[in-house]
Amino acid sequence: MNHILQLTSTESQFIRPDDFDLAGYWTAYQRDFHHRLRPARAVVRLAPGVSLPGPGQTDARLEEDGWTRTTVPIESLDHAHAEFLRLGTGIEVLEPQELRDRLARTAAELAERYGSPRSSAGDRPLRQPRRSAHPA
Protein backbone atom coordinates (compact mmCIF):
# COMPACT_ATOMS: atom_id res chain seq x y z
CA MET A 1 0.00 0.00 0.00
CA ASN A 2 2.95 2.37 0.41
CA HIS A 3 3.17 2.61 -3.40
CA ILE A 4 -0.31 4.12 -3.83
CA LEU A 5 0.17 7.79 -4.61
CA GLN A 6 -3.45 8.80 -5.04
CA LEU A 7 -6.82 7.19 -4.43
CA THR A 8 -10.26 8.26 -5.57
CA SER A 9 -13.28 6.68 -3.95
CA THR A 10 -16.19 5.81 -6.25
CA GLU A 11 -19.73 4.62 -5.73
CA SER A 12 -18.92 1.28 -7.46
CA GLN A 13 -19.12 -1.80 -5.32
CA PHE A 14 -17.84 -5.33 -5.62
CA ILE A 15 -19.81 -8.09 -4.04
CA ARG A 16 -17.99 -11.36 -3.67
CA PRO A 17 -20.24 -14.38 -4.37
CA ASP A 18 -21.09 -16.36 -1.24
CA ASP A 19 -19.59 -19.55 -2.69
CA PHE A 20 -16.27 -17.96 -3.66
CA ASP A 21 -13.35 -19.74 -1.99
CA LEU A 22 -10.40 -17.32 -2.01
CA ALA A 23 -7.94 -19.84 -0.55
CA GLY A 24 -8.99 -22.47 -3.09
CA TYR A 25 -8.80 -19.99 -5.96
CA TRP A 26 -5.33 -18.82 -4.92
CA THR A 27 -4.05 -22.38 -4.54
CA ALA A 28 -5.30 -23.30 -8.04
CA TYR A 29 -3.93 -20.08 -9.51
CA GLN A 30 -0.46 -20.76 -8.11
CA ARG A 31 -0.57 -24.42 -9.16
CA ASP A 32 -1.45 -23.51 -12.76
CA PHE A 33 0.88 -20.51 -12.99
CA HIS A 34 3.79 -22.35 -14.64
CA HIS A 35 1.46 -23.97 -17.16
CA ARG A 36 0.11 -20.56 -18.16
CA LEU A 37 3.64 -19.13 -18.30
CA ARG A 38 4.98 -21.98 -20.46
CA PRO A 39 2.01 -23.50 -22.30
CA ALA A 40 3.93 -25.36 -25.05
CA ARG A 41 6.17 -28.42 -24.74
CA ALA A 42 9.47 -29.58 -26.24
CA VAL A 43 11.00 -33.05 -26.22
CA VAL A 44 14.74 -32.81 -25.67
CA ARG A 45 17.80 -34.89 -24.89
CA LEU A 46 20.18 -33.54 -22.26
CA ALA A 47 23.85 -34.50 -22.06
CA PRO A 48 25.13 -36.03 -18.82
CA GLY A 49 25.44 -33.30 -16.19
CA VAL A 50 23.21 -30.84 -18.06
CA SER A 51 19.93 -29.71 -16.53
CA LEU A 52 17.34 -27.10 -17.32
CA PRO A 53 16.29 -24.55 -14.72
CA GLY A 54 12.74 -24.35 -13.50
CA PRO A 55 9.98 -26.82 -12.82
CA GLY A 56 8.03 -28.94 -15.18
CA GLN A 57 10.29 -31.60 -16.69
CA THR A 58 8.24 -34.71 -17.26
CA ASP A 59 8.91 -38.23 -18.44
CA ALA A 60 12.66 -37.97 -17.77
CA ARG A 61 14.28 -41.16 -18.99
CA LEU A 62 17.97 -42.04 -18.93
CA GLU A 63 19.06 -43.46 -22.29
CA GLU A 64 21.81 -46.00 -22.96
CA ASP A 65 24.27 -43.31 -24.08
CA GLY A 66 23.93 -41.48 -20.74
CA TRP A 67 21.76 -38.70 -22.12
CA THR A 68 18.38 -37.94 -20.56
CA ARG A 69 15.30 -37.68 -22.72
CA THR A 70 12.59 -35.49 -21.24
CA THR A 71 9.65 -33.26 -22.07
CA VAL A 72 9.95 -29.66 -20.90
CA PRO A 73 7.53 -26.74 -20.88
CA ILE A 74 8.44 -23.79 -23.13
CA GLU A 75 7.08 -20.27 -23.24
CA SER A 76 7.39 -19.89 -27.02
CA LEU A 77 9.61 -21.00 -29.89
CA ASP A 78 11.54 -17.71 -29.66
CA HIS A 79 12.17 -18.09 -25.94
CA ALA A 80 13.09 -21.78 -26.20
CA HIS A 81 15.46 -21.05 -29.10
CA ALA A 82 17.42 -18.55 -26.99
CA GLU A 83 17.25 -20.69 -23.83
CA PHE A 84 18.42 -23.88 -25.55
CA LEU A 85 21.20 -22.18 -27.49
CA ARG A 86 22.82 -21.35 -24.14
CA LEU A 87 23.30 -25.07 -23.56
CA GLY A 88 25.32 -25.51 -26.76
CA THR A 89 25.98 -29.16 -27.54
CA GLY A 90 24.53 -30.20 -24.18
CA ILE A 91 21.02 -30.37 -25.60
CA GLU A 92 19.33 -31.88 -28.62
CA VAL A 93 15.77 -30.84 -29.46
CA LEU A 94 13.67 -33.66 -30.87
CA GLU A 95 10.30 -31.89 -30.98
CA PRO A 96 8.75 -29.62 -32.08
CA GLN A 97 10.31 -29.97 -35.51
CA GLU A 98 10.02 -26.21 -36.11
CA LEU A 99 12.25 -25.51 -33.10
CA ARG A 100 14.70 -28.27 -34.11
CA ASP A 101 14.93 -26.80 -37.64
CA ARG A 102 15.44 -23.29 -36.29
CA LEU A 103 18.27 -24.41 -34.00
CA ALA A 104 19.85 -26.32 -36.91
CA ARG A 105 19.76 -23.16 -39.07
CA THR A 106 21.36 -21.14 -36.27
CA ALA A 107 24.05 -23.79 -35.76
CA ALA A 108 24.75 -23.81 -39.52
CA GLU A 109 25.05 -20.01 -39.55
CA LEU A 110 27.44 -20.14 -36.58
CA ALA A 111 29.52 -22.89 -38.21
CA GLU A 112 29.73 -20.83 -41.39
CA ARG A 113 30.75 -17.73 -39.46
CA TYR A 114 33.34 -19.41 -37.24
CA GLY A 115 34.39 -22.39 -39.34
CA SER A 116 33.91 -26.07 -38.54
CA PRO A 117 36.43 -27.25 -35.92
CA ARG A 118 37.44 -30.89 -36.16
CA SER A 119 38.42 -33.24 -33.40
CA SER A 120 42.02 -34.33 -32.90
CA ALA A 121 40.95 -37.70 -34.35
CA GLY A 122 40.79 -36.27 -37.87
CA ASP A 123 37.94 -35.08 -40.03
CA ARG A 124 35.13 -36.38 -37.83
CA PRO A 125 32.79 -33.82 -36.25
CA LEU A 126 33.25 -33.30 -32.51
CA ARG A 127 30.08 -35.26 -31.74
CA GLN A 128 27.39 -36.84 -33.87
CA PRO A 129 23.91 -36.07 -32.52
CA ARG A 130 21.34 -38.81 -32.47
CA ARG A 131 18.93 -38.38 -35.35
CA SER A 132 15.31 -37.52 -34.70
CA ALA A 133 12.75 -40.26 -35.17
CA HIS A 134 10.69 -37.65 -37.01
CA PRO A 135 12.25 -36.96 -40.45
CA ALA A 136 11.94 -33.44 -41.79
Side-chain angles (χ1 to χ4, degrees):
M1 301 258 317
N2 63 347
H3 296 287
I4 297 174
L5 301 177
Q6 183 177 3
L7 179 65
T8 304
S9 179
T10 67
E11 297 300 318
S12 299
Q13 291 186 353
F14 172 79
I15 300 174
R16 185 173 62 189
D18 290 336
D19 61 346
F20 180 73
D21 176 13
L22 178 60
Y25 174 84
W26 186 242
T27 299
Y29 182 87
Q30 289 177 314
R31 180 190 63 232
D32 299 336
F33 173 76
H34 290 288
H35 178 71
R36 288 189 309 277
L37 182 64
R38 296 172 179 245
R41 300 284 179 263
V43 178
V44 301
R45 296 179 72 238
L46 300 171
V50 174
S51 62
L52 292 170
Q57 293 184 28
T58 60
D59 305 328
R61 183 174 85 237
L62 186 62
E63 296 187 330
E64 288 181 21
D65 60 359
W67 285 54
T68 301
R69 181 184 177 125
T70 187
T71 302
V72 296
I74 60 173
E75 182 178 321
S76 66
L77 292 179
D78 289 340
H79 186 265
H81 178 259
E83 188 173 310
F84 294 165
L85 274 177
R86 291 185 189 107
L87 297 175
T89 60
I91 188 169
E92 179 184 4
V93 174
L94 302 176
E95 299 175 26
Q97 188 64 44
E98 183 179 353
L99 178 57
R100 181 179 173 86
D101 293 345
R102 188 168 169 192
L103 287 164
R105 283 191 306 272
T106 300
E109 290 173 17
L110 289 168
E112 183 177 327
R113 182 172 299 146
Y114 294 107
S116 296
R118 301 295 177 181
S119 72
S120 59
D123 290 339
R124 292 192 333 254
L126 295 174
R127 184 186 71 78
Q128 284 288 359
R130 193 169 133 191
R131 300 290 175 219
S132 172
H134 306 288

